[in-house]
Amino acid sequence: MAFFGFKDLSSLSNVDMTIYNYVTQNNEKVAYMRVRDIAKNAHVSNSSVMRFVHKVGFSSFPEFKAFIKNKGNGYSKNSVFNFVNKNNFPINIENKISVAADFLYQADNIILIGVGSSAFLAGYTARRLATLGYNTNTVSDPFYPLSSQLHNTSNNALIVFSVTGETSELIELLNNFVNDGDTTIISITGNEASTIGKMSRYCLSYKETEYHVYHYYDLSSQIPAVYIAEGITHALQDKSRK
């Protein structure tokens, strides 16, 4: 009964052991089953399943299923706490962040760009960099006259947040700076091979499955992008201490 932390083996009947064996051998499926589904597959009654659930220490069937979902290595792959790990990033991401931070440390103006949910990340990162003393601005309107604003300026950095790296309005905005010797593009994107990724001098990429609802609304996780933004902030903070 190690699976449930249950030690009173003598209290378990043959039916209980049948249920236990089925649950432990099919825990990924059981996490999404109903009582009657488990009963049918284990060839027992619904009431036997519920007696087993209570006997091994759970007050309800939902509590039992929540435990099954989170069993093994801390949390399951669908856990609400399992947002990101090293597999979300290329192996050289720390080096890439360090190189980009070296450039940003010398920049006179840092413009953070993003639309939709990426606009919030741009604003969040801009505020953190401003706290460190950098001259930052945020652009969430892809039609903003940024080229006019940066006219006659130099040593500028554009940090662009884009999950797909293919937002046409952002591509059009960045086209004004691709061959601008006074402006450097840094992208934080989920697709290094994207148009925006290729337009950038420094592309800080991550891996994250895109997820949309109703065909239009983007629910793709931005947590990997936040990690990269935090990495940039910490790298610049370390430079400021030296």
Side-chain angles (χ1 to χ4, degrees):
M1 287 297 111
F3 189 86
F4 298 104
F6 185 80
K7 298 179 180 179
D8 189 8
L9 302 181
S10 61
S11 67
L12 297 178
S13 66
N14 289 336
V15 172
D16 292 329
M17 290 303 300
T18 297
I19 298 170
Y20 171 79
N21 289 332
Y22 177 78
V23 169
T24 55
Q25 293 170 17
N26 301 275
N27 58 303
E28 291 188 1
K29 296 178 182 178
V30 169
Y32 301 96
M33 285 183 173
R34 297 166 295 184
V35 171
R36 63 174 177 266
D37 296 326
I38 298 174
K40 179 180 179 181
N41 285 281
H43 306 291
V44 298
S45 67
N46 292 355
S47 58
S48 293
V49 173
M50 287 308 304
R51 280 196 296 271
F52 172 80
V53 167
H54 294 143
K55 189 174 292 186
V56 294
F58 299 97
S59 60
S60 67
F61 185 66
E63 181 185 348
F64 169 78
K65 290 212 304 180
F67 176 88
I68 297 295
K69 284 184 181 181
N70 294 330
K71 183 64 179 175
N73 296 322
Y75 299 101
S76 73
K77 63 182 179 180
N78 295 310
S79 168
V80 294
F81 296 104
N82 187 23
F83 291 119
V84 66
N85 58 54
K86 64 181 181 180
N87 295 321
N88 289 94
F89 306 99
I91 194 170
N92 61 344
I93 187 61
E94 291 186 4
N95 182 61
K96 286 188 171 184
I97 289 175
S98 179
V99 171
D102 284 340
F103 172 79
L104 291 170
Y105 184 67
Q106 304 294 333
D108 294 325
N109 303 291
I110 302 176
I111 313 297
L112 296 106
I113 304 171
V115 297
S117 58
S118 293
F120 294 98
L121 287 183
Y124 170 77
T125 308
R127 183 180 179 87
R128 290 179 64 80
L129 296 184
T131 300
L132 294 177
Y134 292 89
N135 182 30
T136 65
N137 286 289
T138 306
V139 173
S140 58
D141 176 4
F143 304 105
Y144 184 81
L146 187 58
S147 58
S148 298
Q149 179 184 346
L150 297 182
H151 185 62
N152 291 330
T153 64
S154 60
N155 204 20
N156 304 308
L158 305 183
I159 302 180
V160 187
F161 292 85
S162 176
V163 175
T164 65
E166 297 293 349
T167 305
S168 57
E169 294 85 359
L170 286 181
I171 292 172
E172 186 173 348
L173 174 66
L174 296 177
N175 268 331
N176 297 311
F177 302 99
V178 171
N179 297 314
D180 184 350
D182 293 318
T183 303
T184 296
I185 300 172
I186 300 172
S187 61
I188 299 177
T189 177
N191 185 2
E192 186 175 19
S194 65
T195 302
I196 291 177
K198 293 177 179 178
M199 295 171 76
S200 309
R201 179 182 298 180
Y202 307 109
C203 179
L204 308 178
S205 64
Y206 56 87
K207 301 174 184 177
E208 182 63 43
T209 302
E210 291 182 40
Y211 181 61
H212 294 80
V213 294
Y214 306 116
H215 303 289
Y216 303 106
Y217 304 116
D218 189 0
L219 278 180
S220 304
S221 175
Q222 293 275 18
I223 298 299
V226 174
Y227 265 58
I228 293 175
E230 292 283 349
I232 291 173
T233 302
H234 286 290
L236 290 174
Q237 187 175 13
D238 287 341
K239 291 181 181 295
S240 299
R241 291 170 178 166
K242 296 178 180 179

